[in-house]
């Protein structure tokens, strides 16, 4: 993958690496929490199920939803303005709405319904991350007028805490 002309290819590669690593970390956390909730439901342990569901909801509220909202700003706005990426971004925005709706469903569900909602969040988020990693971010990097490094600079919701501080030098990350 080549950075567009006039861009710092190293900065673009570091930004891509940071976002992909953050995505992988988020997916690992989501998979673990959803798996624990399913196990608790299968074991018919309502107390463990409620505890795990609360932990998953807390993670969604602190990590997943803020990540989605942060993407809708600088990461999505540039490609959305370009005809060749508009439909992709529209589809990804629709996925955000589905994910947020499923988090709300999880909030009021219990037992099997909670495990089903958690599994749906898990699978849609995995698909969504795959599209971002394989389609959207390469498009941004290869577009001469866009920069992934600039789009994610200082946004810990998109690159994780450590990377936001390293790549956003001179800027506050909050």
């Amino acid at each position: 993958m080549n950075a567009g002309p006039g861009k710092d290819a190293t900065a673009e590669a570091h930004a891509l690496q940071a976002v992909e690593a953050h995505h992988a970390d988020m997916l690992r956390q989501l998979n673990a929490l959803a798996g624990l909730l399913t196990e608790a439901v299968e074991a018919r342990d309502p107390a463990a199920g409620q505890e795990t569901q609360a932990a998953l909801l807390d993670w969604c509220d602190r990590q997943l939803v803020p990540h989605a909202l942060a993407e809708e700003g600088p990461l999505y706005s540039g490609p959305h303005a370009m005809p060749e990426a508009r439909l992709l971004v529209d589809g990804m925005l629709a996925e955000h709405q589905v994910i947020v709706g499923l988090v709300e469903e999880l909030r009021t569900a219990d037992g099997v319904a909670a495990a089903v909602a958690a599994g749906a969040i898990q699978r849609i988020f995995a698909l969504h991350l795959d599209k971002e990693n394989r389609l959207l971010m390469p498009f941004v990097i290869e577009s001469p007028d866009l920069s992934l490094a600039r789009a994610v600079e200082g946004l810990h919701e998109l690159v994780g805490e450590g990377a936001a501080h390293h790549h956003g030098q001179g800027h506050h990350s909050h």
Side-chain angles (χ1 to χ4, degrees), residues 6-144:
K7 289 198 274 190
D8 181 345
T10 303
E12 295 297 300
H14 283 300
L16 179 63
Q17 183 180 28
V19 174
E20 287 179 338
H22 186 55
H23 282 168
D25 185 51
M26 288 182 73
L27 192 56
R28 271 191 302 275
Q29 292 174 44
L30 177 56
N31 288 344
L33 289 165
L36 288 171
L37 178 54
T38 299
E39 289 171 15
V41 170
E42 287 175 344
R44 291 182 171 85
D45 184 345
Q50 290 171 353
E51 183 179 318
T52 306
Q53 182 177 351
L56 176 56
L57 281 168
D58 181 61
W59 183 84
C60 289
D61 290 341
R62 287 186 304 100
Q63 298 289 324
L64 183 61
V65 173
H67 177 85
L69 294 176
E71 286 176 339
E72 291 180 6
L75 183 60
Y76 283 17
S77 61
H80 194 257
M82 302 175 77
E84 58 270 43
R86 184 170 295 124
L87 290 176
L88 172 62
V89 175
D90 284 345
M92 297 182 82
L93 289 167
E95 289 169 358
H96 284 177
Q97 292 175 339
V98 170
I99 290 168
V100 169
L102 286 166
V103 170
E104 290 310 308
E105 188 177 309
L106 176 64
R107 197 176 307 285
T108 59
D110 60 318
V112 172
V116 168
I121 293 167
Q122 178 185 15
R123 284 168 183 78
I124 290 172
F125 188 59
L127 176 66
H128 183 76
L129 293 184
D130 183 61
K131 285 181 190 174
E132 281 184 354
N133 291 347
R134 286 187 318 101
L135 302 173
L136 184 67
M137 291 188 299
F139 176 82
V140 170
I141 289 171
E142 293 169 8
S143 296

